[in-house]
Amino acid sequence: MTRPGHRPADDLRALLAVTVDALDAGRRDRSGPLPSGGPVDVRKAVLAALGEPGPLLPPTGDGEAAALGALTRMLSAGSADPADPLCAAHLHCPPLTVAVAADLAVSALNPSLDSWDQAPAGTTIEAEVLAALAGLVGYDPSRAVGTVTTGGTESNLMGLLLGGHVAGRAAAPAPGSTAVSPRGWLGQLPHHRRHGARTPAPRPAAAAALPVFCSAAGHHSVRRGAELLGLRRIVPVGVDVDHRMDVQALRSALARHPGPALVVATAGTTDAGAIDPLAEIAELVRAHPAPVWLHVDAAHGGGALFSRRLAERLAGLAQADSVALDLHKLGWQPAPAGIFLTPSERGWDRLDAEVAYLNPADETIAGYTSLLGRSLRTTRRPDAFKIAVTFRALGRERLGAMVDTCHDLARHAARVVAADPRLELAAPVTLSTVLFRYLPPEPGEYLPPEPGEYLPPEPGEHPPDTGGGAPEHAGVPPLSGHAGRLDRLDRLNAAIRSRLLEEGTAVVGRTTAGPHGAVHLKLTLLNPNATDADVSALLALVAETGDQLAAERTP
Ligand SMILES: *Cc1c(COP(=O)(O)O)cnc(C)c1O
């Protein structure tokens, strides 16, 4: 907002200089990938910068430059910096500076995609970015439909929403419905002709009965999305030793459910980076006697599509009925930059909405496109813009080379782990994730935790959450999480991560793996500016911290 006589560009330029300087100062305050001292110290510093003990919203403010400078410095100092090579826990990428700058342009203009008159250029930019990504996936870009989302969570929800709509319609055609074909004709009609010819959503009872098959290594958002949509029959499918969906298990599970269904496959599991055998899964789905919607969660692995070396690992992706991608992971975008794509219009009538103030039919027909029917959201910023700028700036070759570099770093890490007797690899490297754990020299000698150390409940104290309700849940462990007691080795691995977090020296991930859900450590290497030497140093730090902790606790 501007005052009379002020030039907003000059104001922005001045405030940008304040921001960039404060980002740098905060980074120097931190001197590592993470603020040291753990949650208590960080909270103190944040509250002080927010004006404690005064109110956060004071009667009179401090002025723009002062508040922006102080709080940005605090944020920078108090952040986990994904640009630091020792920050390697999550699918949390260092964003490209050009994408950050492009994102700022969007913030300055504040367009919104729910009506053409709020985003005249943004509307076309989103369509073109989606067409380019559809081409990478292997869809026909002239027929594919999609939307830019807040991430894999929203994209998975969209896949379940559209898939549940289409499969649910096949399970229980609404009375009087003309949509007899599961591969319906609605998708062939232009948007405006569908008005008045809508197929009602399936009755809730039919949707609740639809099974959703998802591997035990699938993302937690699949289960949550299904539950939100009333899809209560979630059928976990087993995985093989490499964390990939077991095709034989899916075949048997599908054989027990001859009706319409949804299958969610994963291209790049969050913990191991494993890619399900997509082509074989697509073949099974096609051979099923009733319609099955195949959604592929490629939020992690979709970035491999940029790489000529790795793209073939996603063979079969183009046969999916819907796909989730996440360019704020292996795409180096500031979040959010989620993508949801389908090969055609099929299923999208579920989101049809004609709203008098946003998209009257006559304006839509005249070419004033509203993207309201593409999203669960109304106000929606064109996050496609930073992606468009990135694509034009770097091209596929440079993006592919960045993916390859991260893959090379992970392969280097796996070699280092294999060569160190104190470290044990838990999964092969597929993308850029390395799952491993520390093994003390004498595991039997390792003592119980220090007082105050975090310990999950003993078995029986709290029954593990099995999801409840559906018969398939009985006796099946939750998709992720550790329901049992931590043994000594688990405590030691957990303590390595906590020690590094508290010191602020490194951020390594933690999860469970193996048949007994043992605590493991994880490197997610998304920083293409990191080197093999950085990765070696990080693993040496982990092993040395393990040695120290084991020694401290062994008399
Ligand atoms: C990260 C991730 C998600 C969730 O994506 P968000 O962008 O965090 O919402 C879903 N699935 C997989 C496999 C992921 O790795």
Side-chain angles (χ1 to χ4, degrees):
M1 213 170 62
T2 57
R3 285 159 282 154
H6 266 252
R7 290 170 40 131
D10 289 345
D11 285 349
L12 181 59
R13 198 170 283 123
L15 289 177
L16 260 183
V18 170
T19 308
V20 171
D21 289 346
L23 283 171
D24 269 348
R27 198 173 289 133
R28 284 194 301 272
D29 294 343
R30 182 179 355 101
S31 83
L34 198 75
S36 61
V40 174
D41 286 9
V42 173
R43 184 163 192 275
K44 266 191 213 141
V46 172
L47 292 181
L50 294 178
E52 272 250 294
L56 172 59
L57 178 62
T60 316
D62 299 336
E64 286 87 339
L68 180 67
L71 268 62
T72 303
R73 183 168 178 170
M74 170 272 283
L75 179 69
S76 176
S79 287
D81 186 358
D84 188 303
L86 299 194
C87 185
H90 298 283
L91 286 158
H92 173 205
C93 71
L96 288 157
T97 307
V98 70
V100 172
D103 214 20
L104 176 74
V106 171
S107 290
L109 292 160
N110 212 18
S112 180
L113 295 169
D114 50 315
S115 64
W116 187 91
D117 60 353
Q118 297 175 86
T123 301
T124 297
I125 291 164
E126 171 157 301
E128 292 304 306
V129 165
L130 291 168
L133 287 163
L136 269 185
V137 162
Y139 289 161
D140 172 355
S142 68
R143 296 190 65 230
V145 180
T147 191
V148 179
T149 68
T150 49
T153 302
E154 185 186 344
S155 298
N156 287 340
L157 184 67
M158 296 280 293
L160 292 163
L161 177 73
L162 268 58
H165 178 55
V166 170
R169 197 156 60 193
S177 165
T178 43
V180 280
S181 159
R183 307 263 161 189
W185 45 268
L186 277 167
Q188 310 304 321
L189 297 180
H191 184 268
H192 62 270
R193 284 189 50 207
R194 293 209 309 272
H195 287 290
R198 281 189 58 189
T199 310
R203 287 190 300 269
L210 276 178
V212 179
F213 299 91
C214 179
S215 103
H219 194 260
H220 76 87
S221 62
V222 173
R223 173 180 288 265
R224 186 184 277 178
E227 285 171 356
L228 279 172
L229 295 171
L231 299 164
R232 294 189 44 78
R233 267 173 96 187
I234 302 160
V235 188
V237 180
V239 292
D240 64 18
V241 288
D242 291 339
H243 307 254
R244 295 155 34 107
M245 185 185 277
D246 179 344
V247 178
Q248 208 43 53
L250 177 63
R251 191 193 311 276
S252 328
L254 277 170
R256 287 195 297 274
H257 294 84
L262 288 89
V263 171
V264 179
T266 312
T269 60
T270 311
D271 277 346
I275 299 171
D276 289 345
L278 303 179
E280 290 170 67
I281 292 169
E283 203 176 306
L284 272 184
V285 160
R286 266 200 312 273
H288 195 69
V292 177
W293 182 278
L294 173 60
H295 174 73
V296 177
D297 176 359
H300 177 186
L305 294 169
F306 296 121
S307 153
R308 300 201 185 275
R309 184 208 293 176
L310 297 173
E312 68 185 34
R313 298 193 180 187
L314 272 65
L317 183 63
Q319 293 167 64
D321 296 298
S322 56
V323 168
L325 308 174
D326 242 356
L327 295 186
H328 56 243
K329 291 175 176 173
L330 280 168
W332 296 282
Q333 299 300 300
I339 303 288
F340 175 72
L341 287 167
T342 63
S344 72
E345 280 261 9
R346 196 163 64 106
W348 284 92
D349 57 303
R350 181 69 183 83
L351 283 172
D352 272 354
E354 192 180 320
V355 177
Y357 81 97
L358 289 173
N359 62 348
D362 56 319
E363 288 196 4
T364 303
I365 293 166
Y368 292 88
T369 309
S370 156
L371 297 177
L372 185 67
R374 293 291 182 239
S375 180
L376 291 161
R377 290 181 280 159
T378 304
T379 300
R380 188 160 67 89
R381 52 187 269 124
D383 289 310
F385 181 68
K386 62 198 171 197
I387 302 173
V389 171
T390 301
F391 283 8
R392 296 300 303 164
L394 273 69
R396 180 176 169 185
E397 295 296 333
R398 261 173 79 190
L399 280 167
M402 289 166 71
V403 174
D404 290 348
T405 300
C406 293
H407 181 232
D408 287 340
L409 289 171
R411 290 198 296 185
H412 172 74
R415 284 193 295 270
V416 172
V417 168
D420 190 330
R422 297 168 298 174
L423 303 176
E424 179 190 63
L425 202 63
V429 168
T430 306
L431 295 165
S432 65
T433 304
V434 189
L435 195 58
F436 68 103
R437 66 176 168 171
Y438 172 83
L439 299 173
E442 303 279 352
E445 296 301 309
Y446 180 67
L447 286 181
E450 312 275 309
E453 189 172 316
Y454 170 75
L455 264 189
E458 295 286 327
E461 271 180 63
H462 300 289
D465 173 24
T466 54
E472 284 87 359
H473 283 135
V476 177
L479 288 184
S480 66
H482 188 53
R485 177 180 60 86
L486 286 188
D487 75 8
R488 291 171 173 189
L489 195 51
D490 286 352
R491 286 194 196 115
L492 180 53
N493 276 278
I496 293 174
R497 169 177 138 94
S498 307
R499 172 72 58 96
L500 296 171
L501 282 184
E502 196 174 317
E503 290 172 347
T505 43
V507 196
V508 299
R510 168 184 165 173
T511 187
T512 54
H516 307 296
V519 171
H520 278 71
L521 300 173
K522 180 172 81 164
L523 301 187
T524 308
L525 299 162
L526 291 193
N527 182 349
N529 297 320
T531 62
D532 283 359
D534 291 326
V535 170
S536 297
L538 176 54
L539 285 166
L541 183 60
V542 168
E544 281 156 23
T545 307
D547 291 346
Q548 262 172 34
L549 285 163
E552 280 169 25
R553 291 164 185 214
T554 305

